Amino acid sequence: MRAVIATESGGPEVLALTELPDPVPGPGEVLVRVAATAVNRADMLQRMGLYNPPPGASEVIGLECSGTIEALGPDLGEATWSVGDEVCALLAGGGYAELVAVPVGQVMPVPAGLSLVEAGALPEVACTVWSNVFMLAGLQATDRFLVHGGAGGIGTFAIQLASALGAKVFTTAGSAEKLAVCADLGADVTINYREEDFVEVLTQAGGADVILDNMGAAYLERNVKALADEGRLVIIGMQGGTKAELDIARLLTKRAAVLATSLRARPTEEKAAICASVVENVWPLVADGAVRTVVHTSMPLAEAARAHQLMEDSGHVGKIVLTA
Ligand SMILES: NC(=O)c1ccc[n+]([C@@H]2O[C@H](COP(=O)([O-])OP(=O)(O)OC[C@H]3O[C@@H](n4cnc5c(N)ncnc54)[C@H](OP(=O)(O)O)[C@@H]3O)[C@@H](O)[C@H]2O)c1
């Protein structure tokens, strides 16, 4: 099969299309012929040699895909997939390729009405946002929700999902154009992080019940300040570094929580439970158009280097798709 690999650690230019042996589905896995995959921030870190795949996962970059089932491995339990079914899947790796073997619990149907290009950009954002904001932080319809980086892949999905489920949505982005997109997607309050202080905006509104954060260390202190009493800060990204001071006194007074998770590193059973919950709770909203995948652009797998450069330059809104 053709696959994109990083020939060495480095910038986008180290990505190259190459020939690799076809993967063989092991017990509990299906083989998917990839139609589309999408770029994630973690892909940049893996390309730079800073984020190795978990044990047993493909060395090929790529955390999600859409496509058709090419073959079924042994021991699939109660799964009812057939060869030729259109699916999308959450991956621990291997998406930047024509074929990928996937644990069957991470294979999901394509929501009704979605193209395979749109579906290829869906698993990572849907599973990340649903598992963190709803399953873990328990966002309620009466809550105030702050998501940073509202115009990114995660942000565009989180705004829509939280808004569809009734929460009041606050979001940050770095330009007026990006904030306008966030407002179109359902954000109630948009904050230009280059010009405004999100802590002030949230404090005046009564504080955030849930914050989904991509900035890590750089925003830890301000995020804790922006939390409401009993608020939950969920950190999923480290774009602003990994080490910072935490004011425990402020956390105690607010009876607040700081949580951090990585989807990729979770055991396959947990990923299967997240995928099942996403199919049950999120897919109906995607199918009826309340939540959609925002695809900035789609380009062939061979242009993965250009796609990585685009994400590094933050020149995108939503997801960048690669077609196999
Ligand atoms: N833990 C997990 O399981 C998991 C899973 C998926 C993703 N993630 C993480 O989630 C984050 C978002 O992923 P993504 O795919 O949505 O990436 P993305 O599309 O590149 O979005 C990142 C966003 O960060 C924003 N940003 C940059 N500096 C900022 C600042 N100072 N304040 C607020 N926002 C800022 C950018 O907005 P502007 O262009 O407006 O500056 C951009 O829209 C990444 O850190 C990724 O690693 C974690």
Side-chain angles (χ1 to χ4, degrees):
M1 66 167 183
R2 291 180 321 141
V4 170
I5 57 155
T7 51
E8 58 185 314
S9 300
E13 70 286 351
V14 305
L15 295 177
L17 199 58
T18 188
E19 284 289 330
L20 290 179
D22 289 356
V24 177
E29 291 183 338
V30 302
L31 187 66
V32 174
R33 179 161 293 277
V34 177
T37 181
V39 181
N40 284 282
R41 288 248 155 203
D43 302 349
M44 328 273 112
L45 295 177
Q46 185 168 341
R47 188 202 70 218
M48 290 188 270
L50 302 173
Y51 189 36
N52 292 328
S58 166
E59 292 289 326
V60 174
I61 297 173
L63 297 176
E64 56 191 328
C65 75
S66 63
T68 49
I69 294 194
E70 177 89 358
L72 303 171
D75 305 335
L76 293 180
E78 291 170 9
T80 54
W81 297 113
S82 305
V83 170
D85 285 349
E86 287 194 344
V87 295
C88 56
L90 182 69
L91 310 173
Y96 289 19
E98 289 177 316
L99 292 165
V100 62
V102 193
V104 70
Q106 290 162 227
V107 177
M108 299 174 280
V110 174
L114 240 63
S115 68
L116 284 177
V117 165
E118 291 167 307
L122 189 56
E124 185 70 19
V125 289
C127 292
T128 302
V129 173
W130 181 254
S131 62
N132 285 293
V133 178
F134 295 90
M135 295 171 76
L136 182 64
L139 187 77
Q140 302 293 311
T142 49
D143 282 348
R144 284 178 294 272
F145 171 58
L146 168 63
V147 56
H148 289 298
I154 293 285
T156 50
F157 199 82
I159 289 171
Q160 296 177 80
L161 192 55
S163 174
L165 295 172
K168 182 164 185 182
V169 179
F170 296 70
T171 194
T172 57
S175 72
E177 296 73 34
K178 289 193 173 185
L179 290 171
V181 174
C182 296
D184 277 350
L185 292 171
D188 299 284
V189 180
T190 59
I191 304 160
N192 186 329
Y193 67 78
R194 297 183 205 277
E195 297 170 357
E196 295 167 83
D197 180 4
F198 71 84
V199 180
E200 249 172 54
V201 177
L202 266 298
T203 305
Q204 275 173 19
D209 299 292
V210 175
I211 300 178
L212 186 63
D213 174 70
N214 60 325
M215 297 305 295
Y219 276 6
L220 181 63
E221 186 190 355
R222 279 182 283 165
N223 276 333
V224 171
K225 280 186 184 165
L227 280 177
D229 286 351
E230 297 183 1
R232 288 84 71 201
L233 163 61
V234 189
I235 302 173
I236 59 163
M238 304 175 286
Q239 287 170 236
T242 57
K243 292 187 181 160
E245 264 189 5
L246 178 63
D247 185 343
I248 307 276
R250 199 184 301 274
L251 216 52
L252 290 179
T253 316
K254 292 189 176 187
R255 305 177 303 285
V258 179
L259 306 149
T261 71
S262 156
L263 187 56
R264 190 187 198 184
R266 289 186 187 231
T268 45
E269 309 79 59
E270 280 185 31
K271 289 187 199 170
I274 290 169
C275 289
S277 184
V278 161
V279 171
E280 185 186 340
N281 295 291
V282 182
W283 268 205
L285 296 168
V286 178
D288 79 9
V291 179
R292 62 190 174 90
T293 36
V294 177
V295 175
H296 178 83
T297 186
S298 128
M299 57 187 87
L301 204 51
E303 293 180 38
R306 184 160 72 87
H308 275 216
Q309 191 63 58
L310 180 60
M311 181 170 273
E312 286 188 358
D313 295 342
S314 229
H316 64 295
V317 169
K319 297 284 290 186
I320 302 165
V321 172
L322 296 169
T323 50

